[in-house]
Amino acid sequence: MPYLNITEVESALTSLATAYPTTSHLLTLPEPSIEGRTAHALQIGVPAGTPRACVMMIGGVHAREWGSCEILVHLAADLLEAHQNGTGLGYGGTTFTADQVGGLLQRLDLVFFPLVNPDGRLHSQTVDPMWRKNRDPANSGGSADPNCVGVDLNRNYDFLFDFATAFAPTATPQVSASPCDPQVYAGPSAFSEPETRNVRWLLDQYPRTGWFVDVHSYSEDMLYNWGDDDNQSIDPTMNFGNAQYDGKRGLPGDVAYAEYIPKTDADNAALLAERFCQGVGGVRGRPYKPLTGFHLYPTSGTSDDYVFSRHFVDGDQGKVLGFTVEWGTAFHPPWAEMRNIVLDVDAGLVAFCLATT
């Protein structure tokens, strides 16, 4: 089967909710996209009388990363079918028992939002295959340059959004304040875009979310917090909210700054990333690597750092460990290979969910 178009992604979620009414629930996101499209998410799990912990997974943020939607749609379908039939799941050399699948849906709410950026995906699939951003023209200034349309949604979250102030002058965070940057324009303000506000809304609807995974490509990595600098667990005052350290972030291996993360959180995040990579590797031996986001490249305004930062900013927010999957070695692998990547990553995500506590 080929890559799904935006209508097929949405219809897949609707079909799953219809086919598995007792273990799935379709969620309508509140804000239409820039071009007026309504997005949906799917919650799956055995009905429970009390709130329970949640793993949230989103995809389709960067338009050209076509396989991210398929990864999440297939995973939701696999879990629902296996649970209903009382069977396990097999992904190449990585397998899960019926008890593991059943226990997962008993213990957790799993929320899948596979198509965050429908306008961008449509543009990528029909006009410009390498298109990355959304399709917001509001900040283009009337420019005829097509690159001046759109915002990189994974730079639009409220984490060190003022990167020019936050980072050292010689740091090179992969983000831009120019609307005509074809890749990483962050937008005029944090959460300026309806697509990122939909993700924030979904987090607010599931306050017991403890783990968040944003599915991207490519580099065969599993990234975890933080993305702005090296981690340290010694000095809690050295943190993203402390203006004393503005102008010092983003330089690897220096002594001026490293981002604080409690050691327990750092250990848990590293363990979960490793479990994901083990699950992937068991399918056909792909060597995914667990590493902090900063060790891929420095960033600001990303989803994974935003979700983890929330409980530092507001103590009433629950703690959410943030992760980013970087699947594969190309944005549009041939479908035969993408089908294998779906199996790889879905195995990793099941292993990840089983390792949450």
Side-chain angles (χ1 to χ4, degrees), residues 270-293:
L271 173 63
L272 287 166
E274 178 62 32
R275 291 291 177 83
F276 169 86
C277 294
Q278 290 171 352
V280 171
V283 178
R284 55 182 182 134
R286 298 306 302 175
Y288 278 56
K289 302 181 298 296
L291 66 160
T292 69

Side-chain angles (χ1 to χ4, degrees), residues 344-355:
D344 291 337
V345 179
D346 283 354
L349 289 172
V350 175
F352 174 96
C353 290
L354 287 170

Side-chain angles (χ1 to χ4, degrees), residues 111-183:
V111 175
F112 297 88
F113 185 9
L115 183 50
V116 173
N117 180 14
D119 302 347
R121 184 178 178 90
L122 177 63
H123 190 76
S124 176
Q125 290 186 326
T126 60
V127 178
D128 179 358
M130 293 303 291
W131 188 257
R132 171 180 166 107
K133 301 182 287 184
N134 76 351
R135 294 296 297 163
D136 188 351
N139 303 292
S140 65
S143 171
D145 184 347
N147 286 329
C148 300
V149 173
V151 169
D152 182 346
L153 298 176
N154 205 33
R155 301 296 184 271
N156 189 239
Y157 292 89
D158 191 9
F159 178 77
L160 295 178
F161 188 82
D162 183 5
F163 64 90
T165 297
F167 285 80
T170 55
T172 56
Q174 299 299 295
V175 59
S176 174
S178 169
C180 295
D181 187 294
Q183 303 295 329

Side-chain angles (χ1 to χ4, degrees), residues 73-88:
V73 167
H74 280 256
L75 178 57
D78 285 350
L79 289 169
L80 287 167
E81 181 180 11
H83 178 268
Q84 178 168 286
N85 294 339
T87 63

Side-chain angles (χ1 to χ4, degrees), residues 84-257:
Q84 178 168 286
N85 294 339
T87 63
L89 286 171
Y91 300 101
T94 299
T95 60
F96 306 98
T97 67
D99 285 346
Q100 286 177 310
V101 173
L104 194 59
L105 270 63
Q106 290 278 356
R107 180 171 61 86
L108 293 170
D109 284 324
L110 302 174
V111 175
F112 297 88
F113 185 9
L115 183 50
V116 173
N117 180 14
D119 302 347
R121 184 178 178 90
L122 177 63
H123 190 76
S124 176
Q125 290 186 326
T126 60
V127 178
D128 179 358
M130 293 303 291
W131 188 257
R132 171 180 166 107
K133 301 182 287 184
N134 76 351
R135 294 296 297 163
D136 188 351
N139 303 292
S140 65
S143 171
D145 184 347
N147 286 329
C148 300
V149 173
V151 169
D152 182 346
L153 298 176
N154 205 33
R155 301 296 184 271
N156 189 239
Y157 292 89
D158 191 9
F159 178 77
L160 295 178
F161 188 82
D162 183 5
F163 64 90
T165 297
F167 285 80
T170 55
T172 56
Q174 299 299 295
V175 59
S176 174
S178 169
C180 295
D181 187 294
Q183 303 295 329
V184 291
Y185 172 49
S189 60
F191 290 111
S192 61
E193 306 309 298
E195 296 90 349
T196 50
R197 293 196 297 270
N198 277 339
V199 175
R200 181 178 62 183
W201 177 87
L202 198 58
L203 287 161
D204 290 341
Q205 300 309 298
Y206 289 88
R208 292 181 62 84
T209 298
W211 308 271
F212 175 95
V213 182
D214 194 347
V215 180
H216 287 262
S217 69
Y218 59 89
S219 65
E220 295 192 326
D221 296 324
M222 178 53 144
L223 310 178
Y224 55 95
N225 309 112
W226 296 95
D228 64 303
D229 210 301
D230 291 308
N231 285 356
Q232 57 90 14
S233 301
I234 297 170
D235 183 0
T237 70
M238 189 181 289
N239 65 71
F240 66 90
N242 190 341
Q244 174 185 342
Y245 294 101
D246 284 350
K248 299 180 179 179
R249 301 178 180 89
L251 299 175
D254 71 324
V255 298
Y257 189 79

